[in-house]
Each structure stands twice: as structure tokens, then as C-alpha cells.
Amino acid sequence: MAFGNLRGNAQATSANPTLDAAAMVMLKHLFERLTALEARSTTAIADSAALESPSPPALHALKAKDLDLPLGMPEAITLDTLGLIFEAIFDSAELPDTVKAAIARLQIPLLKLAIVDSSLFANSRHPARLLINRMARAAVGLPRAAGWEHPVCHRIGSVSAAVRERLAEKGAVLDSYLAELDVLIGERDQAIRLQADRHVPVVVAHEKRQYAEQLARAWLRASLPRARAPEVASFLERYWFRVMVAAAMEGGGEGKRWQEDGATGDELIWSVLPKQSAEERKRLASLASSLIRRIGAGLDAIGVSSTERAPFLNTLFDLQTAALRSQLQPAAPPAEAPGSDGQADRSTNLAFKAGPCLLEDDGQRIHYLVLGATTEARKRAAAEDWQVGDWLRFWTSEQEPLCGLCCWQSPSSGTALLLNPDWGYAVAVSPSALDQQLSAGRAQIVSRLAVFDAAAERALSLLQRS
């Protein structure tokens, strides 16, 4: 950097040329010492990368005392401020050590820049700040142990090495480096989302099955109180519930098959009730053979063998014969639908209530952690905060948090699918669970964090307390 630019420093020049000349000499010596330190630190980092060292050299935030600068001098204040910022960056749990080392390579060029351009601290859109923020954003979700051989770390390191000389120039144009980091971020996120596409059908199929079972439970819960014959109630629970699940899987609760199989179940219940009028007996006589055929078709659809269904069909004939003779059957005891808690489901949107499980299909593994939440709440929360394309740090257990990219969100249930290639699996989680963690401060949208800005705020807080 040309020292003629030093007079553009935020320091006010005095009216005494002798003092100004002395200040220039002192700054020249300071820059020479910084340059010597930079050469040593850059060599250490470069050697570490070349040797593919499992751990980069120890990172040190430069302070005024390291250069024996008198406290209170503008340069000392600048040095200590930037030192606190780099301390916060080096303490970050979000960055691999190799990426911290790549950022550390820019510490002295940034210090030189801050001495001649104080807007680095005041302007959140300063290109040098954007550069550090974008380097950190490109590394979001990488394992802490990621080495220089990792493609992302390697590309971040290449940008750091290339921009080092340019960064120390006041007014330097960094657009090409920022654009290169943007490309890296976009390529990495897109590759992960494409990988997640293979997991989406597994989640969709699982939730479709869940929804079908909830519809069938609701139907069974409404039907059982009308089934006065214990044999019919047992048949509905054991077999016809499964028929209704298959019907809902095919066309939902408004589909033709659902309507037909539901009507068959209703007619089965009616067929064994006492027939006290000639009109009812005539209707049962004309309905019986058709009802048997439709029951048989439903059992065929769920794979029930002829041998397994025969006892019930024989019992059904006896029950219908008794009904024609107007013989009152004893009422069946109240029964609960499969998986129900005996309470009526008052939810109008049939929210999913399944607990955690592992979904596996064709090599795809998904930890399904969806908890109960209404569809309206899911849509509202999703619209207000996180969204597809964000990297989230969240908890799936009390052991350690995960950091993954939100790759997809179900338009019907709101379930979010998160993936990080380093996991070896995907995670499906309810928006309500993410929102609760975000509200409690246990989860973060880490892709929106600006590491330099956050570190600057921390440094300011520490300086105000000191």
C-alpha cells in the first residue's frame, strides 16, 4: 500500500508539519512491522495447507500490546477493536478451523485497511466486511474437522489467498471475489437440495399413510357405536379399518373408493340390526349378495385370504338370518379405534401426531421427528420466519445440535426436510418444533448470521464495559 494514502486516515492532521512528519514515520514503522508479521503468519498457514495438516496453526488475534503500541493512540484503539472482532470469529462454533485460518490470513490486511479507512467499523455494507461474512456463509454446516482437502475449504482458502494483497488497498474493488463466493454458496446449496430430492417421496408417502390412517380412525370412531353385534365391531376394527386406510391412500376422504367402502361398512352394520318391517326385510334380502361381494372385494384389496375371512362371513350369514327374524342382538361394548386414546379427535385438519421414527427406502434414511401442530399454525410460522434455503442449527436430542439446509417443505403438512451431506441421513421435522426452539434461543438460522457484524457487536459490548 502506498504510504501517501495514509493521510486519508481518520486521524486529524495537526498544523505542525514536524508532528505530522513524525506521525508518518511512526505509521510507516507500524506498517513495516505488520508486514513482517503478515509474512510469517501467512507462511505458517500456507505450509499447513500444503502439508494437509489435520489442524491449522494456532490462531491469534493481534492486539496493540503485541506491537508495544501506547494505549489510547488511534492506531492502538483500531488494533484492539479489530483484535476483539477476530477473537469472536476464532471462537465461533459455526466455522471449521481451516476456514478460520483462511480468515486469519486477512487479519493484518484488514488492520492496515482499518487504519486508513475507519468506515470498516461503521459501514455494514463495506466490501471487506461483506467478504468475511460471505466466506463464513460459504462454510455454514461444514464439520469442524473439515481440512484443506475439503472442496469448500479449498475454494475459500483460494479466495483468501487471492484477495489478500487487494484487501489492504483503500477503496479496493472486491466485486469479483464476492461474486466467486456467491457462486460457491449457490453451487453447494443447490447440490444439497438436489440430493434431498430423493428423500422427498419417502416423506410424502409416509405422511400420506399417516393421513389415511387418521381418516380411517375418524370413520371407525364414528361407526363403532352403531355396531351392536360384537362380531361386526371386531371385523370393523381388524379388517375394515385397513380397507378404509387403503381407500384413503388411493383417493383421500373425498375419493370414489372411500365413499363406496364407507357405504359398504355402513350397510354391514345395518344388515345385522333387527328388521321389524317388511320393507326392511325386503331391502336386506336384495342387499345381502351384493354386500358379500363388496366385502370380498375390500378384503381382496388388503390381501385377506379366503380361509381367514370365512369364519366371519359364516357368522355374518347367521347374524343376518337372525336380523330377518327380528331377533335383537346384544349391544357390543364401546370399542376404541386403532391407535386412539378413546377421545374424539376435535381437530378439523387432522394434524399428525406420530412420534419419532426412522424411514428407510431404497437406501434413503430419514429421521422423522414431526410432532403435533395444526396446519394453520405451520403455515403461519413458516411465512413469518425461516424458509426453504435457510441453514438451521437445531436439536434432535439433548446430545448435540445439528446444522442442515432446509431443502423442502410439504405444502400440505408443513413438514420441513433438512439435509447435510455429512450426516448420512435427512431429518424431517415439524415447523412447530423448529419455531419452539427458535423462540427459546436453542435454534438459529445460521445462514443469516453475518459473522463480522456479530463479532463487531460483541467487540463493542466488551469495549463499553471496559
Side-chain angles (χ1 to χ4, degrees), residues 100-116:
K100 292 178 185 179
I103 294 175
R105 180 186 283 150
L106 305 179
Q107 182 177 192
I108 293 177
L110 279 174
L111 177 57
K112 292 178 179 179
L113 177 63
I115 291 172
V116 299

Side-chain angles (χ1 to χ4, degrees), residues 349 373-382 431-432 435:
N349 53 29
T374 65
T375 300
E376 290 82 3
R378 288 170 177 154
K379 291 180 178 177
R380 183 170 58 252
S432 61
D435 293 333

Side-chain angles (χ1 to χ4, degrees), residues 63 76-86 121 455-456 459-460 463:
K63 299 288 186 66
I77 295 173
T78 297
L79 191 58
D80 284 341
T81 301
L82 198 61
L84 289 171
I85 290 174
F86 271 89
F121 298 122
L460 178 62
L463 288 171

Side-chain angles (χ1 to χ4, degrees), residues 204-220:
V204 170
H206 177 72
E207 294 198 337
K208 185 178 180 180
R209 176 80 186 185
Q210 278 190 304
Y211 185 65
E213 289 181 356
Q214 287 198 347
L215 288 175
R217 285 191 192 99
W219 178 88
L220 185 59

Side-chain angles (χ1 to χ4, degrees), residues 3 6 22-34:
F3 281 92
L6 289 177
M24 292 297 294
V25 170
M26 184 197 69
L27 284 175
K28 181 178 180 181
H29 289 162
L30 173 60
F31 270 70
E32 288 173 348
R33 294 181 67 184
L34 289 172

Side-chain angles (χ1 to χ4, degrees), residues 195 198-199 202 359-366:
Q195 185 176 342
R198 295 176 291 171
H199 296 79
V202 182
L359 309 180
E360 295 187 84
D361 183 78
D362 193 25
Q364 310 306 313
R365 298 174 67 244
I366 302 157

Side-chain angles (χ1 to χ4, degrees), residues 294-317:
R294 284 181 282 136
I295 291 173
L299 296 176
D300 287 341
I302 62 172
V304 178
S305 67
S306 299
T307 302
E308 186 178 354
R309 74 184 71 173
F312 173 74
L313 296 179
N314 292 334
T315 300
L316 178 60
F317 177 79

Side-chain angles (χ1 to χ4, degrees), residues 336-409:
E336 295 182 2
S340 90
D341 56 5
Q343 301 269 339
D345 186 355
R346 296 181 177 84
S347 172
T348 58
N349 53 29
L350 295 175
F352 297 148
K353 296 178 175 62
C357 61
L358 177 64
L359 309 180
E360 295 187 84
D361 183 78
D362 193 25
Q364 310 306 313
R365 298 174 67 244
I366 302 157
H367 290 267
Y368 189 85
L369 308 174
V370 173
L371 306 173
T374 65
T375 300
E376 290 82 3
R378 288 170 177 154
K379 291 180 178 177
R380 183 170 58 252
E384 289 175 354
D385 203 348
W386 57 269
Q387 59 189 357
V388 171
D390 285 331
W391 280 85
L392 301 172
R393 181 172 289 278
F394 63 103
W395 292 80
T396 60
S397 68
E398 294 304 317
Q399 312 230 334
E400 61 181 25
L402 296 176
C403 183
L405 177 66
C406 182
C407 298
W408 171 83
Q409 188 173 17

